[in-house]
Structure formats: C-alpha cells, structure tokens
Amino acid sequence: MTFDISAFFGYLFNDFLLGGVLTTLWLTVAGVIGGLLAGMLIAMLRMSPSRLLAGFARFYIWFFRGTPLLIQLVVIYTGLPQLGVKFGVLESALIGLILNESAYMAEIVRNGFLAIPEGQREAAWALGVPRWLIVLRITLPQAFRLMIAPLGNSVNALLKATSLASVISVEEVMRRSDMLMQEHFQVLEVYAAAAVFYLALTSLWDLVQRWLERRFSRAHVRATPEVGAGAPVLAASLGRVER
Amino acid sequence: MSGSFDTATRPGPAATAQPILVDILDLDKYYGSVQVLHGVTLTVRRAEKVVICGPSGSGKSTLVRCINGLETFQAGTVLVDRTDIAQPRELDRIRADIGMVFQQFNLFPHMTVLENCMFAPVWVRKMSRAQARELAMHYLETVRIPDKADRYPGQLSGGQQQRVAIARALAMKPKLMLFDEPTSALDPEMVKEVLDTLVDLAQSGMTMVCVTHEMGFARQVADRLVFMDQGRVVEAGPPAQIFDAPQTDRLRAFLSQML
C-alpha cells in the first residue's frame, strides 16, 4: 500500500467534501456570531450588581466550560428527546456550539471591559453621556480591540470543534470524510485532504483576524515625528545633549 | 484665526453681586469607615475662580468630584445652579452643564481629537454633525491646537492632550468648569502651555473650581483660595490674605513647603 497522490488531489476537489467544507464554514460563522452575542449578554450579567444575575452567569460559564462539547452535543441531540425535548441535527449542533462558545466568549468580553480604565467612564459621565451610550461608543470599541487576540484563539478552536458535530451526524467535513473513507478505505488520502481543508479555513481566519487588528489599532499607531509642535521639543532635547 | 472663550457671563465688577452657582453645605463623605470630608461648606458664585489647595489626602479632589456626582456622599447637599445633584434623574442633565478636566486627561483613545470634541455635542446636545464640527474646531483653535484635529490622542504630547481635554469640555458650553489637578501628570516643560490656557479661560469669565499645586497660578487667577487639610476647609480667602497673612499653623506649614 502506498499514498495515492492522485486520490488525495481528487478528494481536494471532491464536490461532496467541498459541500462539507461549506457546512463547517457556516457552522463556525454562526457559532462565532451567536456565541459572541450570547457571550456579551452573559458577560453583562456577570458584571451586573445583582448577585442573582451575576451568580447565574457564573454558573453558566462554570457549567459550559467545564463539560466537554462532545457530551453537550450528544445530550442535546440524543439525550433531551428522552425528556420530550427534540431538536433537529443542525439545530442541536448550533445550540451546542453556541452554548459552549458563549461561555468562553463571556470571559473574553469581561476581561476586555475590565481592562478599560475607570477614567474613560468618568470622562463620559462628566460630559452627561447616558450609560447605554457609554457602553456602545466608549467602552465596547476599546474593549473589542483587547478582545481580538483571545477571540482569535477561540474562533480557531471553534472551527476545529465543529468536527465534533460529526458524531451527531452533521455532514460537515469530518463526517463526509468518514463516509468517503468507509466507502474507499483510503484513510490517509481522505483525512489528509480533510486536514488541508481545516488548515485553509484557519488560515482564512488568520487573515480576517489580522485585518481586524489593523482596523482597530489605527488609533494606536504612533505618527512619524512631524515638523510642528513635536519639533521644538525634539530640538530642545537635542540641544541638551549637545551641551 | 484664533478662537476665543466666549462664555455667557463676563466677570462682574463686584463678584458678590453674582448669583451662587455651586452651593455645598455640610458635606460628609466616607470611604468605608474612613471619613474623608468633614462638614465641608463652600459656595462658588458665577464667574468666580476658586482654587483649592492642600496636602495630598486632604480631600480636595474628592470635594471637586462631589460637585458633578462622580462621588456620592453620605450627608449634606450639593446644589449646582439650584438643582440638587443627589437626584439621579437630573444627574446627566446637570453633568452636561459642568465641564471637567482630569489629571490623566481621559481622552477617548479610539476617537480623533475632533471626534473627542464632537462626541458629547452630537450625542448629548443633539447637535448636527456640521454644527458640532464647527463648534469643536472653534474651541480647538481657542486652545491653539486646531492642526491636531485629525490626530489620535496617543499621537499627542501630554500638554496637547490636556488642552484637547479642555476643548472637549468647553464644547458643551458649560456653566462651570472643574479642574482636578490638571497639570500634575504633565512633564515640567508642558505645564506652562496648559496653565496659559487656564489663565486665558479665567480671563474670559468662566466659573472655575480648580484643584492644583501650582501656587503661582493660584495667586494669579484665584478670586478665592481654599486651603483644605484632613477633609476640612481650614482657611479660605483672597490669595493675598492666604499667602501673606495665613491664620493657622497648618496653612503656614503647607505654604513653607510649597513656596
């Protein structure tokens, strides 16, 4: 037995597998957006002065970060019907991914907000800016910049974690690779192609993340020294050195 | 080209004829079990310049922060333009009329200088963007920094940032300006440019309450100097009286360290 290169390339352009890639992609995108929105809500609850709400958020984060996604998916899809609650395959996958991801996102969002100096809120309060607007326009944009790096890790992890949905028969890349493997027994060729697809998707996300980082750090790029107010200071400091 | 501080009120010949703008009565403030303000009473009349000085930990910053409700207090009243600032419903409205400049500038780092100055006029005063831009540029010219309008705060020196912070507060056309040690975080060579701006502002007739260690500035602009120690107002009066005829040992000791 050898590695069949042409079979490998065949799988790279296999419509059936590429269809699975699309499913993986949209599961990830939906998981990220849903997880981020739910995570923001959980983070707000976690930071709220109400002990009940903060306690609920704390429990939520503890529970969904502390149990495997695999168990969450299986319980939602095959366990809950036992209690009379039924979800379809894709619904189950989305619910599981969003519940799990939002627990991580909540902590990322909270850390971002905690890093904003209190002076930012005070300056806005002193201008008479209402609280909701402070969150929307002052603290959130600044927190988001700090969230991008941990968010990047989380998205990367989620992208690969979607492969767990294959266990509840969601036909994403992993599941369809399994199906092809069982049909043709070209284990290395199929899974190598699947790995290439995941690499391509994570690389795509790297590009998006880099763009986000550039976009949100515009304000933090130091301008090149200019002729103007900076120049006399520079001249003064040079003068001091010469003397 | 250069703008001016056109405030609504010009300094009257007799400051006592002006109505009272800030009325602080018997203020008590605790941090936990530590009392930091002991029955502080202070009035500020329109167009008056009050400079508060005192050793660190004397409660002067806390007092100023009580005027716009950044600090809560346990007893006493603070009226600003006859409105009780302890009424939460009124707080945002009152704050919009009180400009505040902080030691650490607290500019919004993700907005340009111009956006910093336009933000509250647009969102709080509901001004059109064009109007707000014109207003913001006017005050940036007043603090002599219009050429930096499209820069971000992180690209400016400390002195420039503090002047932008002053312009940002003025763009709300406040009745009153509070300054909490506005030059304490600045490198020595930048203190003067900020103090010059404050002197210009004082001469325009703005009502000002300023916490500072800059005694030369205090002597130059203050109508009244308030000396605080350990959460109490120890002495208050015109600068000449405070500097040249201090009544208490504590003030004498403080002045001997400062001058």
Side-chain angles (χ1 to χ4, degrees):
Chain A
M1 281 280 272
T2 53
F3 185 81
D4 186 343
I5 297 264
S6 65
F8 166 71
F9 278 106
Y11 288 128
L12 281 186
F13 298 98
N14 183 306
D15 283 345
F16 184 64
L17 265 187
L18 286 171
V21 171
L22 274 183
T23 305
T24 294
L25 185 63
W26 82 252
L27 266 182
T28 306
V29 171
V32 169
I33 293 173
L36 192 57
L37 291 177
M40 280 184 187
L41 182 70
I42 298 295
M44 296 297 160
L45 295 182
R46 176 85 171 74
M47 290 185 287
S48 89
S50 157
R51 296 179 75 170
L52 188 72
L53 295 179
F56 166 78
R58 207 186 288 244
F59 174 81
Y60 181 99
I61 293 166
W62 170 77
F63 185 80
F64 286 107
R65 285 202 314 178
T67 53
L69 176 59
L70 187 54
I71 292 184
Q72 292 165 14
L73 288 172
V74 172
V75 165
I76 292 167
Y77 183 60
T78 40
L80 289 185
Q82 208 173 317
L83 303 175
V85 184
K86 280 184 190 163
F87 295 108
V89 181
L90 284 175
E91 284 168 303
S92 300
L94 268 180
I95 292 170
L97 287 171
I98 289 174
L99 285 177
N100 190 268
E101 185 67 4
S102 61
Y104 287 93
M105 292 288 194
E107 287 297 89
I108 293 174
V109 171
R110 190 172 73 98
N111 281 322
F113 274 94
L114 289 180
I116 307 299
E118 189 59 16
Q120 289 292 307
R121 282 181 204 94
E122 290 187 350
W125 285 333
L127 289 164
V129 182
R131 275 162 194 272
W132 66 269
L133 193 58
I134 294 178
V135 173
L136 206 63
R137 301 299 300 265
I138 307 292
T139 48
L140 184 60
Q142 293 186 60
F144 188 71
R145 188 179 85 86
L146 302 171
M147 283 158 45
I148 294 172
L151 193 77
N153 266 338
S154 193
V155 172
N156 181 294
L158 177 69
L159 207 159
K160 292 172 295 181
T162 55
S163 60
L164 292 174
S166 63
V167 172
I168 59 169
S169 77
V170 176
E171 288 196 20
E172 40 65 72
V173 179
M174 188 63 197
R175 176 77 177 181
R176 289 199 166 177
S177 301
D178 286 343
M179 291 159 87
L180 286 176
M181 190 274 291
Q182 279 160 14
E183 198 175 326
H184 305 290
F185 298 107
Q186 292 173 310
V187 182
L188 269 183
E189 291 81 352
V190 174
Y191 288 126
V196 167
F197 289 135
Y198 281 108
L199 265 179
L201 289 175
T202 51
S203 304
L204 186 68
W205 167 248
D206 285 346
L207 289 178
V208 174
Q209 187 183 346
R210 224 175 297 167
W211 176 81
L212 280 174
E213 277 170 8
R214 262 206 311 275
R215 171 74 179 69
F216 277 86
S217 54
R218 273 188 315 200
H220 300 267
V221 179
R222 292 232 155 224
T224 46
E226 40 160 340
V227 184
V233 178
L234 186 66
S237 63
L238 287 175
R240 216 171 295 151
V241 172
E242 281 162 15
R243 257 178 264 133
Chain B
M1 166 67 185
S2 174
S4 62
F5 299 99
D6 46 1
T7 47
T9 52
R10 299 283 156 190
T16 48
Q18 293 281 356
I20 290 171
L21 195 54
V22 181
D23 198 352
I24 302 171
L25 189 65
D26 273 337
L27 206 59
D28 285 345
K29 159 85 183 168
Y30 295 83
Y31 285 121
S33 60
V34 182
Q35 189 167 6
V36 292
L37 292 178
H38 296 264
V40 173
T41 293
L42 180 71
T43 57
V44 181
R45 290 179 182 275
R46 197 174 294 271
E48 197 178 13
K49 287 83 178 110
V50 174
V51 170
I52 304 174
C53 60
S56 58
S58 59
K60 50 197 192 311
S61 285
T62 307
L63 177 62
V64 165
R65 290 163 57 87
C66 283
I67 297 176
N68 67 350
L70 285 186
E71 301 281 352
T72 55
F73 41 87
Q74 282 70 39
T77 52
V78 176
L79 304 182
V80 176
D81 212 9
R82 281 162 303 182
T83 312
D84 190 343
I85 68 121
Q87 296 176 334
R89 283 166 170 234
E90 299 285 342
L91 196 52
D92 276 345
R93 193 183 59 75
I94 300 171
R95 278 171 167 168
D97 288 335
I98 306 175
M100 183 153 191
V101 175
F102 300 85
Q103 184 176 347
Q104 298 294 342
F105 328 134
N106 295 348
L107 293 177
F108 306 130
H110 58 303
M111 299 182 192
T112 65
V113 163
L114 187 64
E115 287 163 353
N116 263 277
C117 297
M118 289 171 60
F119 182 75
V122 167
W123 288 94
V124 179
R125 296 277 193 238
K126 314 289 181 200
M127 218 177 262
S128 75
R129 289 191 65 83
Q131 246 182 318
R133 180 185 303 270
E134 198 176 325
L135 186 72
M137 282 311 297
H138 170 79
Y139 285 108
L140 287 173
E141 276 164 23
T142 306
V143 300
R144 302 190 198 92
I145 203 162
D147 52 318
K148 297 285 188 285
D150 294 323
R151 292 302 177 86
Y152 286 95
Q155 299 167 337
L156 305 186
S157 73
Q160 292 169 335
Q161 287 189 56
Q162 194 61 301
R163 284 187 281 145
V164 172
I166 295 170
R168 177 176 70 177
L170 290 175
M172 290 295 281
K173 296 196 179 280
K175 296 172 183 165
L176 163 73
M177 285 284 287
L178 306 176
F179 296 88
D180 186 4
E181 304 203 27
T183 59
S184 296
L186 296 175
D187 290 335
E189 68 264 30
M190 291 165 188
V191 171
K192 188 174 177 300
E193 66 184 60
V194 171
L195 288 184
D196 286 348
T197 308
L198 295 186
V199 171
D200 289 348
L201 181 60
Q203 283 166 354
S204 77
M206 175 62 76
T207 312
M208 294 165 69
V209 178
C210 183
V211 173
T212 185
H213 294 288
E214 296 291 334
M215 289 299 132
F217 166 78
R219 191 187 272 271
Q220 187 184 353
V221 307
D223 297 310
R224 203 145 44 96
L225 207 54
V226 175
F227 172 65
M228 288 184 69
D229 192 23
Q230 294 176 1
R232 290 186 171 83
V233 173
V234 178
E235 280 192 50
Q241 179 193 320
I242 296 289
F243 284 116
D244 305 330
Q247 304 292 307
T248 57
D249 290 339
R250 276 193 280 179
L251 177 53
R252 272 190 288 273
F254 177 72
L255 288 175
S256 70
Q257 282 170 350
M258 295 303 296
L259 301 175

